Amino acid sequence: MADKKEYTFEGALARLEEIVRLLDGGKTPLDESLTLYEEGVALVKLCCDRLDAAEQKVKLLKPDGAGGAVETDFTAAAGDGNSK
């Protein structure tokens, strides 16, 4: 990223949308386009890393069959086809 600024997830996503608009406009010089592309790739990685970290923190409560609930990891529950 150009200034090594630490983005929030929402800030990174907003900057990424801005970069896409600039690149889609077709008026950005090649060197600037390459710089923007590199920044965009770094922002996509940052967003994916933040989403992965958040996903690992999410817990689901599932019925345990005895009238209670058991806490399971989101990723474990997502793979069983029973999550909604």
Side-chain angles (χ1 to χ4, degrees):
M1 286 171 260
D3 60 0
K4 297 291 181 183
K5 176 179 168 182
E6 185 62 34
Y7 285 98
T8 63
F9 176 82
E10 293 79 8
L13 197 56
R15 176 62 180 150
L16 191 54
E17 290 171 348
E18 179 183 357
I19 289 170
V20 169
R21 279 192 301 274
L22 288 169
L23 292 174
D24 278 347
K27 296 183 180 180
T28 308
L30 179 61
D31 288 340
E32 188 178 343
S33 292
L34 290 172
T35 300
L36 288 169
Y37 176 79
E38 290 173 353
E39 182 181 355
V41 169
L43 289 168
V44 167
K45 182 181 181 333
L46 183 144
C47 288
C48 287
D49 289 348
R50 297 262 173 95
L51 286 173
D52 287 343
E55 183 179 58
Q56 291 175 10
K57 291 181 182 179
V58 173
K59 302 284 184 180
L60 294 177
L61 291 177
K62 296 176 76 173
D64 67 0
V70 65
E71 190 176 282
T72 59
D73 288 334
F74 174 79
T75 52
D80 68 8
N82 292 327
S83 59
K84 294 180 181 178

